[in-house]
Amino acid sequence: MPRMRSAIGAVVLAATAGAALVVVMVASPLPLAETVPTLIVPVMFVLAGFLGPIWRASAFTCTTVAGIGVLHLVALAASALALADAGPGPAWHLASQIAFVAGFGLLVPLAAGYPDGPAPSWSLVVLGAGVAVPVLAAFAGPTPVVLDGATMLGPVAEVLPVWIAAASAIVFLLPAASVVVGLVRLVRGDRALRRRLAWPLAALAAMAAVVAVGAAFQSTATGLTTALFLASSPLVPVGLIAGARVGDDADADAEARRLRRELQSIAARLEAASRALPTGQAEIAAPEPRTADAVGPDARLDRLTDRESAVLALVAAGRSNPAIARELHVSLSAVEKHVNAIFQKLELQPGPDTHRRVAASVAYLRDRP
């Protein structure tokens, strides 16, 4: 069922992107030479999102990147309809503004949940607040058309102060907000996350800077900022997809190899200790049969849920957290929560002399027949 839902979602995104492209090319009253360049960036996002699975990029990143491109294509299509038809123009204009801002706003949940997701709830609140800005602007005063920033369309209903429409350019800070979120995660994350975030964050920062400059100097530097935007923006989806690849995490592989080595070392020491025992000592030292109220590894393992037991079995097999997430079809954060719960239920406290994954693996393997 999850795979079916993802397949249906991909078909819907592809169909929406295709329809939006057709509408822009057919309905836009602008010359083709002015229309095509505006399509380059959203098409790059869509292509990167759909081609990402080929390079084993995470589903969360691929879907969000494709969604950003589709929303911007929808914004351009609605803007073309607003320019072509003077009747329902304000309504199409409002739809284009909402879709355009939502596309920029999705960068915040993407940065907050990158690379495997899910996006935290607070980032969705930021997205919702950003989408509310064009709605308020539509009831305040004229705002520029998405497809042609030099053209202004009137408000849906001019009932709010006109300065609200002028201040709606604040939505161009959404890419900068996503950069701030990414920087916080870069500082607080582990080495693997920092390596994944480095290039995507650099590309996103470049695009955010160009967008901010373009919003601040719309009338004086339009040509330059447009050229810089077209040059920098395609780097963002490529960088995001490259950093979201799974299965090539060197740190995870190194951790798995270290875990296997330590398990082999523990097994060798246990074997040597059993051989060193006097004759008959092994039988004396053998554990008594397990009882219902026994306190030991077996009793602690009984505290685990079925999902936690499945995660522990894969940990004992030497799997890394990303590999467990792929095998169980869950997010990386969910695996981390399960692993922490396992440590707590097995009463494994962190310490300089304790490798909790090894200790948990040993407890699990001792309980096997």
Side-chain angles (χ1 to χ4, degrees):
M1 184 61 71
R3 291 184 179 180
M4 182 178 295
R5 285 200 298 267
S6 62
I8 294 174
V11 171
V12 170
L13 286 175
T16 304
L21 272 173
V22 171
V23 170
V24 173
M25 300 301 293
V26 173
S28 175
L30 300 178
L32 189 63
E34 296 181 20
T35 302
V36 171
T38 62
L39 298 173
I40 294 176
V41 174
V43 168
M44 283 289 295
F45 271 85
V46 173
L47 289 177
F50 279 100
L51 295 178
I54 298 177
W55 291 289
R56 294 180 294 175
S58 69
F60 170 78
T61 298
C62 291
T63 302
T64 310
V65 167
I68 292 171
V70 170
L71 281 171
H72 278 183
L73 287 176
V74 169
L76 294 173
S79 185
L81 293 173
L83 286 170
D85 193 343
W92 286 118
H93 180 51
L94 175 59
S96 70
Q97 294 280 6
I98 292 175
F100 183 67
V101 173
F104 273 140
L106 271 182
L107 290 171
V108 176
L110 177 57
Y114 186 84
D116 300 309
S121 57
W122 63 263
S123 65
L124 301 179
V125 173
V126 174
L127 170 62
V131 171
V133 172
V135 177
L136 294 175
F139 288 87
T143 47
V145 178
V146 171
L147 191 58
D148 178 18
T151 302
M152 304 289 285
L153 285 184
V156 175
E158 198 166 356
V159 296
L160 295 176
V162 71
W163 64 264
I164 295 179
S168 63
I170 194 174
V171 298
F172 290 106
L173 292 177
L174 286 171
S178 66
V179 173
V180 173
V181 172
L183 285 173
V184 171
R185 297 195 65 211
L186 186 74
V187 172
R188 300 177 60 183
D190 56 16
R191 184 171 59 181
L193 181 60
R194 288 196 294 270
R195 189 179 66 252
R196 285 171 174 261
L197 276 171
W199 286 109
L201 195 57
L204 187 59
M207 187 192 77
V210 173
V211 169
V213 171
F217 304 99
Q218 289 184 11
S219 58
T220 58
T222 303
L224 177 60
T225 54
T226 300
L228 291 175
F229 180 76
L230 292 176
S232 63
S233 295
L235 299 176
V236 177
V238 174
L240 288 168
I241 295 300
R245 294 182 64 188
V246 295
D248 296 328
D249 192 333
D251 287 342
D253 291 342
E255 175 70 12
R257 289 193 296 269
R258 184 161 69 95
L259 178 59
R260 292 190 188 98
R261 287 196 302 269
E262 294 190 16
L263 284 173
Q264 292 169 355
S265 175
I266 291 173
R269 289 199 298 270
L270 290 174
E271 179 69 18
S274 65
R275 290 177 180 176
L277 289 174
T279 305
Q281 186 67 28
E283 289 78 9
I284 298 175
E288 297 181 358
R290 179 184 172 193
T291 60
D293 57 348
V295 178
D298 292 343
R300 294 198 301 267
L301 288 170
D302 285 342
R303 304 172 187 172
L304 304 181
T305 65
D306 292 340
R307 176 63 79 180
E308 290 165 354
S309 297
V311 170
L312 180 55
L314 293 173
V315 169
R319 301 286 200 280
S320 63
N321 284 358
I324 295 173
R326 292 194 301 274
E327 189 157 342
L328 297 182
H329 304 289
V330 297
S331 67
L332 181 60
S333 60
V335 174
E336 292 171 350
K337 290 178 182 178
H338 289 318
V339 171
N340 288 330
I342 290 169
F343 292 158
Q344 292 177 2
K345 293 180 180 179
L346 294 184
E347 302 172 4
L348 300 174
Q349 302 300 325
D353 299 326
T354 303
H355 193 302
R356 293 191 292 175
R357 291 180 78 92
V358 172
S361 300
V362 171
Y364 174 82
L365 295 173
R366 281 177 176 171
D367 191 51
R368 300 301 93 192

